[in-house]
Each structure stands twice: as C-alpha cells, then as structure tokens.
Amino acid sequence: MTQLSGTERAFCLDLSARAKLRVTGADRFRFLNGQITNDLRKASETVAVEACVLNAKGKLNAQVFIGALGETFLIDAEPELRETLRARLERYVIADDVEIEDVTDEFLLFHVFTEEPSALESGRILSARRFAATGWDVWSDPARYDAVRNELASAYLFIDSAAADVIRIEQGLPRWGRELTEEIIPIEANLEQRTIDYEKGCYIGQEVISRIKMSGQTNKRLRGLISLNNTPLQPGMKLVAPSASGKEAGWITSATRSQRLGKEIALGYVKRGFNDPATNLEALSLEPVGAIPVEVVLLPFA
C-alpha cells in the first residue's frame, strides 16, 4: 500500500468501478432536484456537485456526485449502490418525463487530486471535491483505458484504494458502507456543508433536515479518535465512558495507522454528551488487549 506524506499533494485514483447513472428527459432537472439535498443548479459540464439522496425520514439512501453532459445528468456513487440507487430514484418517477439508465460500463472515471491539473487530452474534466479540497474528475471511453491511464500516470502518482482510504480517514470524510449507512442522517456525518443547500426547493427528507438545523441537536456525531497508547483501533469496536461509569458512548467505523500523524487513528460515531473535543473514552477490544484509551477530536485530524 502506498501512503503519501504531507508534501505529496498530487495523486490519481481509478474510480471506474463506481456506479454510474444517466438521467434524461424533459423533466430531468425538476425531478432530480427534488431527490437530492444540494442544489442541482450548481452542477454543470465542468463542475460535479456532491449531494445525498434520502428517504422520507431524512436517512441516507446514497451519497452521490452529479455532473451535466449535454441534455443529461450523470450520477456516480459507490459500486454497491448500482442497483439500489436506480431503484430508489425510479420509485419516485410518477408522471415525469424522465429516464434513468445504468451506464456504469460506458464510462471510465479517474479522479486527480491537485490544485491545478496538467493539460490533459483524456476526456471530459470536471472539478469535484471528493477529498478535503477540490480535485478533478476525468471521464472517458472505456476503450481508451490504457491511453488515459498512461497519460495520467505520466503526470501524477497513482494510488490504490487502501492508500486513498488512509487519506480519507485523515481528512475525516465519511464513506458509504463505513460511516454512511441507511441509518445515518447526513448532518450526523458532518456532510452539512458539503451536501446540503438550505435555500433550494423541496426534496425527499427535507423536513427532517430542516428540523435538525433549527434545533441544532443530533443524537450522535462523526468524530475523530486517537489511540492514547498507540494500540491499533478497529472498525466495530464499541466506545464507552471510562470504567467508572462504563456508559456506551458510540462505535468505531474506520481505523488506520497514519504515518503522517504518527498515530493510530479512527473515525466513529460518538453520542451526545461524550463527543466534545478532548473527551477521554475507551474502545473495547478483545482480550488480551482489553480497553484502549482514546481521545475524541474534531475532524479533520490536525
């Protein structure tokens, strides 16, 4: 696995396996804007907007990126959402002039993380904030895979999914299947600034999101966790208050060794009352390690 140091800012990631949907039809804008948390007017042929698709209770059905291509919108999401996302969207197509096609195999998708991309002839390039800062999506024809990859590799360091996951955790970004599930509300996962537009029109789940904004309260929040004795942390570990009370405080969703920070770190959901910065908790591990002392920190990790 390749890990990047803090000075290595330019890298490339192959995202071609992500699920891709194409939305067409005269009502495509109105329909799709009513399904997502962000304002679809932000999406264009040069900018991909990040958004969430929710159920009526405000819980996640998907986290997506959306860009425009001529008279269509292209949506991409994690590979495991390929079938369920299309079904979820089609459920709300009633009398709309809208067609939703699975085009996963019709496009390559690479992401270049750099401030300014080198001149590329590989295909369509859209700005997209998949990490902490804006990067660049490259869409192209699968028949040109070798040519596109070679062109990108001549200018950028290709990293694998494991290395990308370390960067994601260091930056405190949630991922579908880890921090993001159908039991999570976007605000709990710190997705408010990235994916929610409070000025746009109505969408599925909006009432719940607006109510949470007004109250300013959530039952839990995604937080960073640092192992205080340098013992590795693992997804699924329960978090409890120190042994004097032993109250359940949350759980770990992702964990890694950060070479950049020189620490064992993790992401996890911490319940209200326990999620203030500098709070000390214990992560419960199997014997013989026992309880691992951890400190709660705000995200991203410093």
Side-chain angles (χ1 to χ4, degrees):
M1 179 184 74
T2 303
Q3 285 210 31
L4 301 182
S5 71
T7 59
E8 290 177 301
R9 295 179 177 273
F11 62 85
C12 190
L13 186 64
D14 187 348
L15 299 178
S16 298
R18 284 177 66 84
K20 307 176 194 73
L21 301 177
R22 179 164 52 209
V23 181
T24 58
D27 298 328
R28 63 189 180 280
F29 180 89
R30 181 184 58 79
F31 168 78
L32 190 54
N33 205 37
Q35 304 300 316
I36 63 172
T37 56
N38 217 332
D39 191 337
L40 191 58
R41 288 177 295 183
K42 300 174 185 177
S44 69
E45 296 205 11
T46 58
V47 178
V49 62
E50 183 180 4
C52 294
V53 179
L54 310 179
N55 65 21
K57 296 181 179 180
K59 295 184 177 182
L60 284 160
N61 287 145
Q63 175 198 30
V64 300
F65 285 83
I66 306 173
L69 176 60
E71 300 298 310
T72 72
F73 287 106
L74 289 176
I75 304 172
D76 72 88
E78 288 285 355
E80 55 264 44
L81 293 172
R82 182 172 181 175
E83 295 182 6
T84 58
L85 177 56
R86 182 181 181 182
R88 155 63 179 82
L89 292 174
E90 287 181 335
R91 189 182 313 139
Y92 288 91
V93 178
I94 309 301
D96 306 280
D97 180 6
V98 171
E99 184 176 357
I100 303 169
E101 303 172 82
D102 183 337
V103 292
T104 300
D105 300 326
E106 294 183 22
F107 294 95
L108 298 176
L109 175 57
F110 294 93
H111 182 73
V112 178
F113 185 72
T114 185
E115 292 183 1
E116 292 293 340
S118 301
L120 297 173
E121 300 178 359
S122 302
R124 297 178 57 243
I125 300 178
L126 294 81
S127 64
R129 192 172 182 178
R130 295 183 185 268
F131 291 91
T134 298
W136 308 88
D137 286 349
V138 180
W139 291 72
S140 191
D141 186 332
R144 301 191 64 244
Y145 180 85
D146 289 339
V148 174
R149 198 184 194 287
N150 289 339
E151 182 182 358
L152 292 172
S154 69
Y156 305 104
L157 172 68
F158 260 87
I159 63 171
D160 58 22
S161 59
D165 209 45
V166 173
I167 298 170
R168 175 189 71 82
I169 295 170
E170 290 175 340
Q171 296 183 351
L173 302 177
R175 178 182 176 182
W176 189 263
R178 300 283 190 88
E179 292 72 35
L180 305 181
T181 71
E182 293 186 343
E183 297 301 317
I184 296 298
I185 295 170
I187 298 174
E188 296 174 332
N190 303 328
L191 286 175
E192 187 171 15
Q193 291 186 344
R194 296 174 65 96
T195 68
I196 298 176
D197 189 315
Y198 289 106
E199 304 301 321
K200 64 166 288 183
C202 297
Y203 58 87
I204 305 298
Q206 183 187 33
E207 290 185 6
V208 175
I209 300 301
S210 297
R211 190 160 59 245
I212 293 175
K213 177 177 172 57
M214 292 181 63
S215 70
Q217 297 289 334
T218 58
N219 292 329
K220 57 187 177 294
R221 278 279 188 173
L222 185 65
R223 290 290 188 253
L225 301 159
I226 297 176
S227 173
L228 294 179
N229 63 4
N230 218 27
T231 300
L233 302 169
Q234 295 179 355
M237 285 182 172
K238 291 183 178 180
L239 300 171
V240 298
S243 54
S245 63
K247 290 184 178 179
E248 187 173 335
W251 66 96
I252 292 176
T253 53
S254 296
T256 191
R257 171 74 183 178
S258 171
Q259 293 181 2
R260 182 172 66 86
L261 300 174
K263 297 177 180 179
E264 298 288 341
I265 62 174
L267 302 179
Y269 284 103
V270 187
K271 295 181 179 180
R272 188 169 60 198
F274 299 98
N275 58 26
D276 291 333
T279 298
N280 289 332
L281 299 173
E282 293 178 342
L284 298 184
S285 177
L286 299 176
E287 296 295 344
V289 176
I292 302 170
V294 298
E295 179 183 351
V296 176
V297 299
L298 295 178
L299 294 168
F301 289 93

